[in-house]
Every structure is written in structure tokens, then in C-alpha cells.
Amino acid sequence: MNNGLMPSEPTLFDLEGEKPPVSGTCGSTELPGLDALDWNALYDELNTRGVAVTPPLLLREQCDELVGTFDQPGLFRSSVVMQRHGFGRGTYKYFGHATTPRLVRALREGMYPGMAWMANQWAALLGERTFPADLDQLLAECAAHGQVRPTPLILQYGPGGYASLHQDVYGELVFPLQVAFMLNDPDVDFTGGESVFVERQPRAQSRPIVVRPRLGQGVIFPVRHRPVRGAHGMRRHAVQHGTGEVLSGRRTVLGVIFHNAS
């Protein structure tokens, strides 16, 4: 596979016979777009650009449903007011085990096999551990490491809101990719608020990546680092993410992190 960065590197399919998920295998009636995802194309974009943007996977009605959960306190295990901790300006809330909405569970479970396929290709390039193809197996490993708190969260920013650059690590076991789903319509529901990523390049200046996902689209990005070919082989480029200042309106995002927190 020619991914734009590593044209001569064998893929995991060459090494281990593992193929990307086949369309039609998710079977979610709520999220039919999952079955149409081209994981090869997303993997190429991830390696070329540093992040990858899916087609819209959520309808406006589904986005509105998820936005509505933000004001239902019984759904969340914890809430964080970002300015109290120097994280930025806004609020994010983690869903609880039993109270995670069905749609959020379907996204996390439906996205995971393809995300694991991409993560395992990176693992082969970097000589790192691989991950199971089933989310329940990953969560069982998390539990064995004392990581039992669910990590799907919803984030909301008003005018002047932003998120400082950070990484969502949460514990010893870290799945290397995550997804953020845009739940509002940019330039209609809010202005500003771009998704911002900074890639730390060894012995070079950092590289900014700015993304403006549309309503219902997901942005796939690294949790900690990504592989990049250098003059002496594969290198790990650290990546942080944040949110640019919201100028007007309200910006709401669903974050889907696959490992649980300690």
C-alpha cells in the first residue's frame, strides 16, 4: 500500500495477513455509514495528513440527540470545568457505564475494529504491541490494569471557549487512536472553533494541522504519537490536540476514546 509517507514499508496485511474490516460487517441500523467506511483510504489520509476525516456518520437528528444529553446530569460520572484547571475554557463530561447513550456505544463498538486494524499497522511499523480486534477484549485488558472508568465524553464551548493542547492518555494501557465527532454545524451553529493538532517533529519546528469537520463527521487522530519515516527508519512524532477559540455560538463535540481510564 502506498500511503504517501511509507511507500516501501510493508503493510500489516503483508506481515500478518490482517485485512481492513469488510463493508457491511458492522450491521448497525442506527449508523449505516459505518459499513461504508473505506478504511484503506482513511489509513492513507491518516499517514499523509496526520489526521483523517470520515464522511458524515451522524444525521442532524442524531447530533441533536447527543447535544441534548449535555444538560442531563444523571448521564455522567464526572464533569470538568476547564478554566478551573488551566485546560482552556469550556466544559466536558464523561458518560457513566450504565448511562452511556446507545448511540455512543454503537459508535465506539462499530468504529473499533477498523481503528484496531489501523493501530496494528502502526504497531508493526514501530515495533509496539498490537491490539485485539474486539472492543470487549481491549476493555478487559484495561480492567486488568486498573482502568475501569469509561472515557466517552461530550465537550461544549461557548463564545471565547477553547481547549489547550493536550493528550488523552488516562493510564498505562493506551489505545493509539481516537475519534471526535462534530455535533453542531460550523458557520451555522458557531463560528471559529477549529480542531487544532500540533505534531512535534524531532530536531525541527512543530507542524500545525487545522481541521474543520462538518456536522456528523468524525476526525481520527493519534492519542500520543504517529509513525513517520525518517532518514534512519521509522520515527515517533508526538501529537497534541486542542480547539481554537469559538467566536460565536456553541460548539459541541463527542469524543470517543477506546481505552478506559484509571
Side-chain angles (χ1 to χ4, degrees), residues 66-73 76 91-93 154-156 252:
L66 292 173
V67 170
T69 67
F70 189 82
D71 294 319
Q72 300 178 41
F76 303 100
T91 301
Y92 59 87
K93 303 180 180 184
I154 193 164
L155 308 93
Q156 194 165 93
T252 312

Side-chain angles (χ1 to χ4, degrees), residues 229-242:
R229 179 176 292 284
H232 303 289
M234 301 307 302
R235 302 187 302 187
R236 292 172 178 82
H237 283 196
V239 179
Q240 294 180 299
H241 63 278

Side-chain angles (χ1 to χ4, degrees), residues 149-204:
R149 295 189 297 167
T151 48
L153 72 162
I154 193 164
L155 308 93
Q156 194 165 93
Y157 309 89
Y162 69 95
S164 301
L165 293 172
H166 65 285
Q167 297 177 325
D168 298 314
V169 176
Y170 295 124
E172 180 183 351
L173 195 160
V174 179
F175 186 81
L177 293 165
Q178 65 191 83
V179 194
F181 290 93
M182 177 56 65
L183 302 181
N184 295 122
D185 196 352
D187 299 325
V188 176
D189 298 325
F190 69 93
T191 60
E194 293 83 1
S195 299
V196 179
F197 306 87
V198 173
E199 181 178 333
R200 310 292 181 186
Q201 303 179 110
R203 296 177 295 280

Side-chain angles (χ1 to χ4, degrees), residues 51-70:
V51 302
V53 182
T54 74
L57 298 178
L58 295 168
L59 302 173
R60 161 66 86 169
E61 294 78 10
Q62 292 173 316
C63 291
D64 290 345
E65 175 187 339
L66 292 173
V67 170
T69 67
F70 189 82

